[in-house]
Amino acid sequence: MIRIQDIIDKVLFYHPEADTDLINRAYVYSARVHEGQVRLSGEPYLLHPLEVAGILADMRLDETSIAAGLLHDVVEDTHTTIEQLSQDFGPSLASLVEGVTKISELTFQSSQERQAESIRKMILAMSNDLRVILIKLADRLHNMRTLQFHKEERQLGIAQETLDIYAPIASRLGIYWIKTELEDLAFMHLDPEKYREIERLVAARKDEREKYIGSVRDIIEKKMAQAQIQAHVKGRFKHFYSIYSKMLSQRLAFEDVYDLVAFRIIVETVANCYEVLGIIHGTWRSIGHKFKDYIGHPKPNMYQSLHTTVIGPAGERVEFQIRTKDMDEVAESGIAAHWSYKEGNRADEQTRKTFAWIQNIVEYQQSVQDPAEFLENVKVELFPDEVYVFSPKGEVITLPTGATPLDFAYAIHSQVGNQCIGAKINGRMVPLRTELKTGDSIEILTSKNQHPSKDWLHLVKTAKARSRIRQWIKTEERERSLALGRELTEKAFKRHRLSLASAVKGDKIGEVLDSLGYKTVDDLLAAVGYAKISPLQILRKFVPQKQIEEEARAKAEALAPVEQALERQKSPSGVTVKGMDGILMRLAKCCSPLPGEPIVGYITRGQGVTVHRMGCVNTQALDPMRRIDVEWGKSTAETYPARLLVSAMDRVGLLADLTAAISQCKANIVSANSGAVGEDNIANALFTISVSGKKELESVVKALRNVPNVQQVKRV
Ligand code: MN
């Protein structure tokens, strides 16, 4: 069992002027309030905060963090309050314990919604003081080490949560020794059989492999001595979970996972690192694309190292990591290495900049309402597969693997993203869906007339780009719906000689909003635009029901049955406005567009959206501001009217042959008119037919052209 003196000794080793009194007082306090409590293992509870403080000392944290580690469970598990801690140990320590307590209250293994909410809170806690998360990681590590005392179901839940959330966070913060231990412990509980199998396989040829490690180390050390480079060579097995992940992701059998061993060469200077790389490549054949320069392009968590994979002396792949002592320290302890006690309670400016991604998540999560969407964003941010690309000014931009020029554009500025019309990679125009590669130099072309579209969501990888595009679409959608809703409602009011403007200013409006369940007039009108409610529903609140009914009856009587049929045919469900649902729509009579044909929509006063054929002459006179993108929906079960003018040399039975040709194509004839035959003996017949789309119309036209004597078939 670890003793408080061991912890103090550890702290004094890296921080000789540490306030050990604070640590001692925290220990005495913790021992007093946890007195009599036991862990599931049967051991005194105090053991847990002691172990957590010990792990924090291994992370080389400041004395306030160590003391907070000793006290991290007192608010949750004893009668101690935050106020009391603040009085006795100062506000800084109290706020750390408060942060840890808040995270502990979260449950992660429930529904996705609650999981997202929990991560959201945890990230908020992190953004205030990263030490909160470091203490939580230490707490989780000790709990994972003693997980066997829990019931099995609970074990699985905690282990899964550790793998999903805590290990990636440790990795993102660059604390690899915690990441690997958490992963292996979680793996052991989640899949004990596989874990033991890999453990056995690694052990089986242990002697052989150790001999191999020794021989490679000998070769390197000899070469280093020749080149007069001071170097420390470490060879080690990869941790079990990383072997297992590799087997899974590359579908390999254990025997086929070659680079089970990784070598680390620690040298004095950066220049040495590149020299050593040269020596390694001079000794063994390198696998070209496997070389990674994280010294020139550090990872966002400050990790620096050269990575290369070569074909080693036994003909197998061997991975080398080459770095300086300082870099090695950062690689092992990550952010903690930068959280120097010398800096006091705050991380230095550089650390804050480097961990800006946490701030990013916090910033963008505020615009995200949907928990699933948020979770998806966080997962992308947490998994650190990145590419490093350059702006035209030579700035390095870090993006996740699979990111596209659009992600890059949004990383530069939201407006650059929103107005992006194209991109050049290394001077060449590329499609926006092109995946960026490390080292690419990217230039974004913009236009003021460009706007984001829903399709862009399929092209982007980053949370920032996604949330900015969604935000733009939502705002746009709402503005359109509001304008549309206002027009429709105004028209309905005018029909009853009422003014919408004065109605919304009147006394009654509050009551009306309440009864329909909307907060503001804009919300209400937007709902009309979205077709969630009808203008009539609003009107009814202002006009006596009887009057409306009478007028409706009068209108129904006035409408001829034919017109009613046409009214039905206008049914709009075959067309959708891009990015909008439930908009009122009708097909323009002037050009009667058919499914499959290019179309365009115009918001029309009081009529919802009118859909024209692209290029219809009538659209030229319409206000371009009212133009919106529309597209044919998937269902084309409906039919649409189309008019065809057929010209033919008159003969007996011509009309019968024409109608037969149309019927054979399974199109319905709505009406047929034939004019008088002129001097030239040409007969003109005008058919209105109903077809399901462009294809069917084309087959009708073809069939008509094949009728003997037909000279011309024209769409009118
Ligand atoms: Mn704890």
Side-chain angles (χ1 to χ4, degrees):
M1 171 171 159
I2 190 167
R3 296 170 314 145
I4 189 65
Q5 197 52 49
D6 301 334
I7 295 168
I8 290 174
D9 288 347
K10 265 193 211 177
V11 175
L12 285 175
F13 178 77
Y14 62 82
H15 183 12
E17 292 98 51
D19 179 3
T20 53
D21 181 50
L22 179 72
I23 299 176
N24 265 316
R25 281 195 298 125
Y27 170 68
V28 171
Y29 190 99
S30 185
R32 186 163 55 78
V33 296
H34 285 303
E35 168 92 77
Q37 296 178 341
V38 287
R39 301 203 88 212
L40 288 175
S41 61
E43 292 166 305
Y45 194 88
L46 185 64
L47 181 81
H48 171 64
L50 268 173
E51 289 287 349
V52 169
I55 294 168
L56 292 167
D58 289 337
M59 288 156 122
R60 301 182 153 221
L61 291 188
D62 63 303
E63 56 267 48
T64 311
S65 307
I66 309 275
L70 288 165
L71 295 166
H72 81 271
D73 274 336
V74 299
V75 173
E76 200 186 345
D77 295 341
T78 76
H79 295 297
T80 308
T81 62
I82 294 291
E83 291 71 38
Q84 229 168 309
L85 285 182
S86 183
Q87 267 174 24
D88 292 355
F89 298 97
S92 164
L93 182 141
S95 84
L96 289 178
V97 174
E98 189 180 17
V100 176
T101 307
K102 272 187 190 152
I103 298 176
S104 303
E105 284 163 1
L106 311 172
T107 42
F108 289 99
Q109 48 289 35
S110 51
S111 71
Q112 194 182 35
E113 191 157 323
R114 278 164 64 196
Q115 186 184 12
E117 190 51 36
S118 303
I119 300 177
R120 193 193 294 246
K121 283 184 189 151
M122 182 151 74
I123 283 164
L124 283 169
M126 283 162 80
S127 70
N128 287 335
D129 191 332
L130 279 172
R131 290 178 302 175
V132 169
I133 206 69
L134 298 179
I135 296 168
K136 188 63 203 168
L137 281 174
D139 178 40
R140 175 52 57 111
L141 181 57
H142 185 244
N143 285 335
M144 284 300 291
R145 284 174 183 169
T146 53
L147 194 60
Q148 68 271 25
F149 300 107
H150 281 283
K151 282 198 185 115
E152 198 191 324
E153 200 189 293
R154 187 104 182 84
Q155 283 183 18
L156 292 179
I158 294 173
Q160 190 63 53
E161 174 188 294
T162 300
L163 205 54
D164 288 346
I165 295 162
Y166 289 97
I169 286 177
S171 167
R172 220 38 177 97
L173 294 174
I175 314 167
Y176 288 109
W177 67 274
I178 290 188
K179 172 203 147 148
T180 53
E181 192 176 340
L182 285 178
E183 281 181 349
D184 271 357
L185 287 167
F187 177 33
M188 186 173 85
H189 287 280
L190 288 171
D191 196 344
E193 250 171 63
K194 266 273 168 317
Y195 181 89
R196 258 173 237 120
E197 187 190 328
I198 290 178
E199 186 179 41
R200 188 175 49 77
L201 289 165
V202 168
R205 292 166 61 204
K206 206 167 182 236
D207 291 351
E208 199 181 316
R209 285 213 180 77
E210 262 162 15
K211 222 195 257 170
Y212 168 78
I213 291 176
S215 73
V216 174
R217 195 195 292 127
D218 285 348
I219 298 173
I220 298 168
E221 279 173 351
K222 215 188 270 168
K223 298 255 179 193
M224 295 296 121
Q226 279 169 9
Q228 295 188 319
I229 295 171
Q230 285 274 345
H232 181 65
V233 184
K234 288 190 269 188
R236 49 169 198 107
F237 287 101
K238 292 197 162 173
H239 69 294
F240 295 167
Y241 184 71
S242 78
I243 295 172
Y244 175 63
S245 313
K246 196 155 198 177
M247 287 166 66
L248 270 190
S249 68
Q250 302 180 16
R251 295 172 185 215
L252 297 172
F254 179 82
E255 297 71 39
D256 300 322
V257 179
Y258 284 112
D259 42 357
L260 293 173
V261 180
F263 287 90
R264 194 168 289 163
I265 305 176
I266 313 294
V267 292
E268 299 290 319
T269 66
V270 173
N272 285 161
C273 293
Y274 290 98
E275 279 175 73
V276 171
L277 182 74
I279 292 168
I280 301 282
H281 283 177
T283 310
W284 295 292
R285 191 163 62 78
S286 69
I287 302 168
H289 64 277
K290 282 273 178 186
F291 164 55
K292 287 190 190 121
D293 182 0
Y294 295 119
I295 293 181
H297 306 298
K299 287 193 186 184
N301 62 23
M302 293 178 171
Y303 178 89
Q304 286 188 297
S305 195
L306 298 176
H307 288 192
T308 188
T309 304
V310 299
I311 305 294
E316 56 183 17
R317 286 160 179 249
V318 197
E319 189 189 271
F320 286 94
Q321 299 174 353
I322 308 159
R323 55 200 186 218
T324 66
K325 271 183 196 150
D326 287 350
M327 293 174 191
D328 194 45
E329 197 173 308
V330 174
E332 283 303 318
S333 39
I335 190 174
H338 292 267
W339 206 284
S340 161
Y341 48 85
K342 290 173 207 124
E343 312 285 349
N345 292 336
R346 304 197 143 261
D348 58 285
E349 193 52 30
Q350 180 59 33
T351 310
R352 285 201 172 276
K353 258 192 194 161
T354 310
F355 288 90
W357 61 273
I358 294 176
Q359 209 55 52
N360 282 343
I361 298 182
V362 174
E363 192 181 315
Y364 300 123
Q365 65 96 14
Q366 281 159 359
S367 59
V368 176
Q369 302 292 316
D370 178 10
E373 193 182 310
F374 172 75
L375 197 64
E376 168 199 2
N377 289 346
V378 170
K379 278 190 173 155
V380 171
E381 295 285 353
L382 276 182
F383 289 92
D385 291 327
E386 287 129 352
V387 292
Y388 306 92
V389 295
F390 297 95
S391 75
K393 287 178 195 156
E395 231 180 309
V396 178
I397 307 280
T398 308
L399 293 167
T401 303
T404 61
L406 273 176
D407 289 300
F408 177 85
Y410 277 101
I412 299 285
H413 196 281
S414 300
Q415 199 171 336
V416 177
N418 282 340
Q419 301 186 344
C420 174
I421 49 164
K424 283 181 178 175
I425 294 183
N426 307 323
R428 284 180 44 208
M429 281 299 293
V430 294
L432 286 181
R433 62 172 184 280
T434 310
E435 284 191 13
L436 304 180
K437 291 194 291 292
T438 290
D440 281 347
S441 178
I442 295 144
E443 192 186 329
I444 296 296
L445 311 174
T446 59
S447 157
K448 285 212 173 85
N449 299 323
Q450 176 72 330
H451 300 300
S453 80
K454 223 174 187 179
D455 302 337
W456 285 13
L457 290 172
H458 302 297
L459 298 180
V460 298
K461 260 274 162 94
T462 53
K464 180 174 184 178
R466 189 161 313 186
S467 73
R468 287 293 185 257
I469 296 167
R470 283 199 170 122
Q471 200 181 325
W472 199 93
I473 292 170
K474 268 178 204 157
T475 315
E476 180 75 359
E477 216 171 77
R478 183 171 157 94
E479 276 169 16
R480 282 184 195 162
S481 304
L482 182 57
L484 190 57
R486 191 182 296 279
E487 282 186 10
L488 295 174
T489 314
E490 265 169 8
K491 194 179 176 192
F493 271 66
K494 253 181 220 157
R495 269 201 300 264
H496 290 82
R497 289 166 296 281
L498 288 174
S499 148
L500 177 63
S502 47
V504 301
K505 279 188 209 126
D507 306 333
K508 234 185 150 188
I509 188 69
E511 197 186 304
V512 172
L513 287 173
D514 276 352
S515 68
L516 290 169
Y518 293 93
K519 279 204 187 98
T520 67
V521 173
D522 279 3
D523 287 348
L524 178 68
L525 295 178
V528 175
Y530 280 122
K532 280 182 193 152
I533 62 168
S534 75
L536 213 59
Q537 275 171 279
I538 303 174
L539 191 67
R540 272 192 201 121
K541 304 284 178 187
F542 292 94
V543 181
Q545 176 67 20
K546 229 179 171 181
Q547 192 183 330
I548 293 179
E549 275 171 10
E550 268 165 28
E551 285 177 25
R553 203 178 308 126
K555 192 185 171 194
E557 278 163 14
L559 274 176
V562 176
E563 271 177 297
Q564 278 180 359
L566 278 174
E567 199 70 28
R568 248 178 273 124
Q569 217 162 34
K570 275 190 254 167
S571 161
S573 64
V575 184
T576 59
V577 174
K578 269 185 193 162
M580 291 167 88
D581 296 318
I583 290 284
L584 293 166
M585 239 168 309
R586 56 188 281 274
L587 300 176
K589 279 182 193 156
C590 54
C591 55
S592 306
L594 291 178
E597 289 182 330
I599 46 174
V600 62
Y602 284 85
I603 297 175
T604 34
R605 200 166 283 278
Q607 306 249 34
V609 172
T610 305
V611 177
H612 291 265
R613 234 192 293 168
M614 190 81 83
C616 168
V617 283
N618 291 332
T619 61
Q620 285 170 10
L622 298 174
D623 179 2
M625 289 299 289
R626 290 170 174 270
R627 185 188 155 126
I628 53 171
D629 290 343
V630 291
E631 57 194 15
W632 294 102
K634 284 201 181 89
S635 100
T636 49
E638 293 173 43
T639 57
Y640 302 81
R643 267 181 297 179
L644 294 173
L645 181 66
V646 184
S647 311
M649 295 284 286
D650 198 23
R651 63 172 169 85
V652 177
L654 175 69
L655 202 58
D657 287 352
L658 292 175
T659 52
I662 294 170
S663 302
Q664 269 163 22
C665 298
K666 301 214 165 62
N668 289 317
I669 299 171
V670 178
S671 69
N673 288 297
S674 55
V677 178
E679 299 265 300
D680 50 5
N681 202 30
I682 296 288
N684 288 312
L686 181 67
F687 293 96
T688 304
I689 59 174
S690 71
V691 290
S692 65
K694 194 181 165 204
K695 268 198 184 148
E696 199 183 292
L697 181 68
E698 280 165 357
S699 69
V700 170
V701 171
K702 205 173 154 198
L704 287 172
R705 285 195 179 128
N706 286 336
V707 173
N709 283 21
V710 168
Q711 294 184 329
Q712 199 182 36
V713 181
K714 250 194 343 199
R715 179 115 185 261
V716 291

